[in-house]
mmCIF file of all heavy atoms in Angstrom:
data_model
loop_
_atom_site.group_PDB
_atom_site.id
_atom_site.type_symbol
_atom_site.label_atom_id
_atom_site.label_comp_id
_atom_site.label_asym_id
_atom_site.label_seq_id
_atom_site.Cartn_x
_atom_site.Cartn_y
_atom_site.Cartn_z
ATOM 1 N N GLY A 106 23.329 -66.341 -51.348
ATOM 2 C CA GLY A 106 22.702 -67.342 -52.212
ATOM 3 C C GLY A 106 21.346 -66.907 -52.704
ATOM 4 O O GLY A 106 21.188 -66.248 -53.712
ATOM 5 N N TYR A 107 20.323 -67.236 -51.966
ATOM 6 C CA TYR A 107 19.015 -66.704 -52.296
ATOM 7 C C TYR A 107 18.990 -65.256 -51.845
ATOM 8 O O TYR A 107 19.585 -64.883 -50.865
ATOM 9 C CB TYR A 107 17.904 -67.506 -51.626
ATOM 10 C CG TYR A 107 17.595 -68.791 -52.348
ATOM 11 C CD1 TYR A 107 17.996 -70.018 -51.829
ATOM 12 C CD2 TYR A 107 16.907 -68.784 -53.559
ATOM 13 C CE1 TYR A 107 17.718 -71.192 -52.494
ATOM 14 C CE2 TYR A 107 16.623 -69.953 -54.224
ATOM 15 C CZ TYR A 107 17.022 -71.144 -53.692
ATOM 16 O OH TYR A 107 16.754 -72.307 -54.343
ATOM 17 N N GLN A 108 18.251 -64.477 -52.568
ATOM 18 C CA GLN A 108 18.261 -63.036 -52.337
ATOM 19 C C GLN A 108 17.762 -62.677 -50.944
ATOM 20 O O GLN A 108 16.659 -63.027 -50.583
ATOM 21 C CB GLN A 108 17.371 -62.374 -53.375
ATOM 22 C CG GLN A 108 17.377 -60.870 -53.350
ATOM 23 C CD GLN A 108 16.443 -60.293 -54.399
ATOM 24 O OE1 GLN A 108 15.522 -60.968 -54.837
ATOM 25 N NE2 GLN A 108 16.659 -59.064 -54.801
ATOM 26 N N GLY B 164 3.057 -67.917 -60.705
ATOM 27 C CA GLY B 164 4.313 -68.448 -61.234
ATOM 28 C C GLY B 164 5.550 -68.053 -60.451
ATOM 29 O O GLY B 164 6.641 -68.566 -60.718
ATOM 30 N N HIS B 165 5.399 -67.164 -59.492
ATOM 31 C CA HIS B 165 6.551 -66.751 -58.682
ATOM 32 C C HIS B 165 6.813 -67.777 -57.589
ATOM 33 O O HIS B 165 5.950 -68.072 -56.773
ATOM 34 C CB HIS B 165 6.301 -65.374 -58.071
ATOM 35 C CG HIS B 165 6.548 -64.256 -59.016
ATOM 36 N ND1 HIS B 165 6.668 -62.943 -58.612
ATOM 37 C CD2 HIS B 165 6.720 -64.249 -60.361
ATOM 38 C CE1 HIS B 165 6.912 -62.182 -59.667
ATOM 39 N NE2 HIS B 165 6.926 -62.958 -60.748
ATOM 40 N N ALA B 166 8.038 -68.274 -57.580
ATOM 41 C CA ALA B 166 8.391 -69.313 -56.633
ATOM 42 C C ALA B 166 8.732 -68.760 -55.243
ATOM 43 O O ALA B 166 8.611 -69.455 -54.256
ATOM 44 C CB ALA B 166 9.573 -70.122 -57.162
ATOM 45 N N THR B 167 9.194 -67.527 -55.213
ATOM 46 C CA THR B 167 9.700 -66.963 -53.959
ATOM 47 C C THR B 167 8.723 -65.948 -53.390
ATOM 48 O O THR B 167 8.228 -65.078 -54.113
ATOM 49 C CB THR B 167 11.074 -66.299 -54.185
ATOM 50 O OG1 THR B 167 11.904 -67.200 -54.914
ATOM 51 C CG2 THR B 167 11.743 -65.984 -52.854
ATOM 52 N N LEU B 168 8.465 -66.073 -52.111
ATOM 53 C CA LEU B 168 7.536 -65.175 -51.418
ATOM 54 C C LEU B 168 8.209 -64.667 -50.153
ATOM 55 O O LEU B 168 8.877 -65.426 -49.436
ATOM 56 C CB LEU B 168 6.237 -65.917 -51.089
ATOM 57 C CG LEU B 168 5.100 -65.092 -50.474
ATOM 58 C CD1 LEU B 168 3.743 -65.637 -50.926
ATOM 59 C CD2 LEU B 168 5.185 -65.064 -48.961
ATOM 60 N N TYR B 169 8.032 -63.381 -49.903
ATOM 61 C CA TYR B 169 8.662 -62.719 -48.765
ATOM 62 C C TYR B 169 7.603 -62.009 -47.921
ATOM 63 O O TYR B 169 6.658 -61.441 -48.458
ATOM 64 C CB TYR B 169 9.650 -61.642 -49.229
ATOM 65 C CG TYR B 169 10.592 -62.038 -50.350
ATOM 66 C CD1 TYR B 169 10.160 -62.040 -51.675
ATOM 67 C CD2 TYR B 169 11.921 -62.349 -50.090
ATOM 68 C CE1 TYR B 169 11.019 -62.373 -52.707
ATOM 69 C CE2 TYR B 169 12.790 -62.678 -51.117
ATOM 70 C CZ TYR B 169 12.332 -62.683 -52.431
ATOM 71 O OH TYR B 169 13.187 -63.015 -53.445
ATOM 72 N N GLN B 184 11.273 -65.746 -45.708
ATOM 73 C CA GLN B 184 11.339 -65.942 -47.150
ATOM 74 C C GLN B 184 11.066 -67.407 -47.461
ATOM 75 O O GLN B 184 11.668 -68.302 -46.875
ATOM 76 C CB GLN B 184 12.726 -65.556 -47.672
ATOM 77 C CG GLN B 184 12.945 -65.790 -49.155
ATOM 78 C CD GLN B 184 14.323 -65.340 -49.621
ATOM 79 O OE1 GLN B 184 14.987 -64.547 -48.960
ATOM 80 N NE2 GLN B 184 14.755 -65.862 -50.762
ATOM 81 N N PHE B 185 10.128 -67.620 -48.380
ATOM 82 C CA PHE B 185 9.787 -68.964 -48.834
ATOM 83 C C PHE B 185 10.301 -69.180 -50.254
ATOM 84 O O PHE B 185 10.244 -68.291 -51.089
ATOM 85 C CB PHE B 185 8.264 -69.158 -48.871
ATOM 86 C CG PHE B 185 7.590 -69.189 -47.540
ATOM 87 C CD1 PHE B 185 7.025 -68.042 -46.999
ATOM 88 C CD2 PHE B 185 7.484 -70.379 -46.821
ATOM 89 C CE1 PHE B 185 6.379 -68.070 -45.781
ATOM 90 C CE2 PHE B 185 6.836 -70.414 -45.606
ATOM 91 C CZ PHE B 185 6.275 -69.256 -45.077
ATOM 92 N N GLN B 186 10.777 -70.373 -50.503
ATOM 93 C CA GLN B 186 11.061 -70.827 -51.858
ATOM 94 C C GLN B 186 10.110 -71.987 -52.097
ATOM 95 O O GLN B 186 10.261 -73.048 -51.500
ATOM 96 C CB GLN B 186 12.516 -71.264 -51.999
ATOM 97 C CG GLN B 186 12.939 -71.593 -53.415
ATOM 98 C CD GLN B 186 13.043 -70.360 -54.293
ATOM 99 O OE1 GLN B 186 13.024 -69.225 -53.806
ATOM 100 N NE2 GLN B 186 13.127 -70.565 -55.586
ATOM 101 N N ASN B 187 9.121 -71.749 -52.971
ATOM 102 C CA ASN B 187 7.979 -72.661 -53.090
ATOM 103 C C ASN B 187 7.337 -72.788 -51.703
ATOM 104 O O ASN B 187 6.990 -71.787 -51.120
ATOM 105 C CB ASN B 187 8.419 -73.982 -53.713
ATOM 106 C CG ASN B 187 8.898 -73.753 -55.137
ATOM 107 O OD1 ASN B 187 8.204 -73.158 -55.953
ATOM 108 N ND2 ASN B 187 10.106 -74.210 -55.440
ATOM 109 N N VAL B 191 13.318 -70.481 -46.601
ATOM 110 C CA VAL B 191 14.718 -70.235 -46.926
ATOM 111 C C VAL B 191 15.401 -69.442 -45.808
ATOM 112 O O VAL B 191 16.552 -69.715 -45.455
ATOM 113 C CB VAL B 191 14.837 -69.468 -48.256
ATOM 114 C CG1 VAL B 191 16.273 -69.032 -48.508
ATOM 115 C CG2 VAL B 191 14.316 -70.304 -49.405
ATOM 116 N N SER B 230 6.872 -60.906 -53.927
ATOM 117 C CA SER B 230 7.218 -62.160 -54.601
ATOM 118 C C SER B 230 8.212 -61.887 -55.716
ATOM 119 O O SER B 230 8.318 -60.770 -56.226
ATOM 120 C CB SER B 230 5.973 -62.862 -55.151
ATOM 121 O OG SER B 230 5.417 -62.152 -56.241
ATOM 122 N N SER B 231 8.972 -62.897 -56.044
ATOM 123 C CA SER B 231 9.876 -62.828 -57.190
ATOM 124 C C SER B 231 9.880 -64.175 -57.891
ATOM 125 O O SER B 231 9.466 -65.185 -57.322
ATOM 126 C CB SER B 231 11.291 -62.422 -56.758
ATOM 127 O OG SER B 231 11.896 -63.422 -55.960
ATOM 128 N N LEU B 232 10.412 -64.179 -59.096
ATOM 129 C CA LEU B 232 10.277 -65.359 -59.950
ATOM 130 C C LEU B 232 10.962 -66.580 -59.357
ATOM 131 O O LEU B 232 10.360 -67.646 -59.230
ATOM 132 C CB LEU B 232 10.847 -65.043 -61.335
ATOM 133 C CG LEU B 232 10.563 -66.074 -62.432
ATOM 134 C CD1 LEU B 232 9.053 -66.232 -62.638
ATOM 135 C CD2 LEU B 232 11.235 -65.664 -63.737
ATOM 136 N N ALA B 233 12.238 -66.427 -58.997
ATOM 137 C CA ALA B 233 12.978 -67.600 -58.535
ATOM 138 C C ALA B 233 13.854 -67.321 -57.329
ATOM 139 O O ALA B 233 14.469 -68.243 -56.796
ATOM 140 C CB ALA B 233 13.847 -68.148 -59.667
ATOM 141 N N GLY B 234 13.935 -66.051 -56.905
ATOM 142 C CA GLY B 234 14.692 -65.740 -55.697
ATOM 143 C C GLY B 234 16.144 -65.399 -55.919
ATOM 144 O O GLY B 234 16.907 -65.282 -54.967
ATOM 145 N N TYR B 235 16.571 -65.202 -57.176
ATOM 146 C CA TYR B 235 17.969 -64.837 -57.408
ATOM 147 C C TYR B 235 18.184 -63.364 -57.071
ATOM 148 O O TYR B 235 17.272 -62.555 -57.187
ATOM 149 C CB TYR B 235 18.354 -65.108 -58.864
ATOM 150 C CG TYR B 235 18.342 -66.575 -59.189
ATOM 151 C CD1 TYR B 235 17.442 -67.106 -60.102
ATOM 152 C CD2 TYR B 235 19.238 -67.459 -58.571
ATOM 153 C CE1 TYR B 235 17.425 -68.448 -60.407
ATOM 154 C CE2 TYR B 235 19.219 -68.800 -58.867
ATOM 155 C CZ TYR B 235 18.317 -69.296 -59.783
ATOM 156 O OH TYR B 235 18.292 -70.628 -60.064
ATOM 157 N N PRO B 236 19.403 -63.002 -56.666
ATOM 158 C CA PRO B 236 19.660 -61.628 -56.203
ATOM 159 C C PRO B 236 19.311 -60.543 -57.216
ATOM 160 O O PRO B 236 18.880 -59.472 -56.829
ATOM 161 C CB PRO B 236 21.158 -61.638 -55.909
ATOM 162 C CG PRO B 236 21.493 -63.053 -55.637
ATOM 163 C CD PRO B 236 20.585 -63.856 -56.501
ATOM 164 N N GLU B 238 16.943 -60.428 -59.304
ATOM 165 C CA GLU B 238 15.537 -60.344 -59.666
ATOM 166 C C GLU B 238 14.832 -59.193 -58.977
ATOM 167 O O GLU B 238 15.199 -58.770 -57.888
ATOM 168 C CB GLU B 238 14.823 -61.645 -59.300
ATOM 169 C CG GLU B 238 15.193 -62.816 -60.175
ATOM 170 C CD GLU B 238 14.492 -64.070 -59.713
ATOM 171 O OE1 GLU B 238 13.762 -64.025 -58.715
ATOM 172 O OE2 GLU B 238 14.692 -65.112 -60.366
ATOM 173 N N THR B 239 13.792 -58.731 -59.616
ATOM 174 C CA THR B 239 12.926 -57.721 -59.026
ATOM 175 C C THR B 239 11.954 -58.387 -58.066
ATOM 176 O O THR B 239 11.385 -59.434 -58.368
ATOM 177 C CB THR B 239 12.139 -57.002 -60.125
ATOM 178 O OG1 THR B 239 13.055 -56.340 -60.988
ATOM 179 C CG2 THR B 239 11.181 -55.979 -59.527
#
Side-chain angles (χ1 to χ4, degrees):
Chain A
Y107 281 106
Q108 185 181 22
Chain B
H165 280 194
T167 312
L168 185 147
Y169 314 80
Q184 177 178 341
F185 291 95
Q186 187 71 13
N187 296 308
V191 172
S230 70
S231 67
L232 191 60
Y235 294 115
E238 289 178 358
T239 298

